[in-house]
Amino acid sequence: HLENENEFKRPHRIPSLSYDNPHYCPEGDYFNGSVWPQLNYMVMCGLRKYGYHDLAYEIARNHIDCVARVHAKTSAVYENYAPESVNPGKPALANYVGWGGLGPIAGLIEYVFGIAANSAEFKVIWHVNCLERHGVDNFPLGDATVRLVCAERKNREEPAQITVQADMPITVEVIQNGTSRIIHYEP
């Protein structure tokens, strides 16, 4: 259903109501089609849990792109967005970074960059998605503070060159093209 353009694969993914529903509103109208960041985030979490990392990445990338384009037009982050155009939902509260910030912050780190934390084990699981240089500084991992950087790559097959720094021993599992490798970091 998430990949069907007549249901939930709209220009701004994922509307709160299927496109083929008679109550669907192209401008959003709250739960008659608006794209809600917290609902997108919950769907991405479920996709990751069941191994659909590529689809979670696509949805996160789409949502962040749409939010950034709306922000460029309006200088605001909204509680919800229109599913059919680059606009806030109608109606939508402006400067609502509560759940409005989930996409540009958590969605970017967890689903576009592919970085997930397991604080109990001092472990990062990194599904390398991007080709451009990317990563995070001052990433909290339990009591540790971590810096993770992946160098730019020319294509998806090129092995990811990962730099890890932390103030405590940590483990980073790098997953790329279905294969996994472990980096044990000691400060």
Side-chain angles (χ1 to χ4, degrees), residues 117-123 139-146 167-168 170:
N118 180 335
S119 296
E121 297 180 16
F122 291 96
K123 181 177 181 179
F139 185 72
L141 183 66
D143 296 331
T145 302
V146 181
D167 52 9
M168 295 177 64
I170 67 162

Side-chain angles (χ1 to χ4, degrees), residues 57 61 112-114 127-134 150-153 156:
Y57 168 79
R61 195 89 192 211
V112 174
F113 292 169
H127 287 265
V128 178
N129 297 319
C130 301
L131 295 178
E132 62 268 7
R133 183 180 187 273
H134 65 286
C150 180
E152 181 178 0
R153 301 179 298 143
R156 293 201 174 278

Side-chain angles (χ1 to χ4, degrees), residues 89-111:
K90 286 188 179 176
L93 292 174
N95 298 315
Y96 197 86
V97 181
W99 56 59
L102 275 171
I105 299 168
L108 178 67
I109 293 169
E110 296 176 28
Y111 297 101

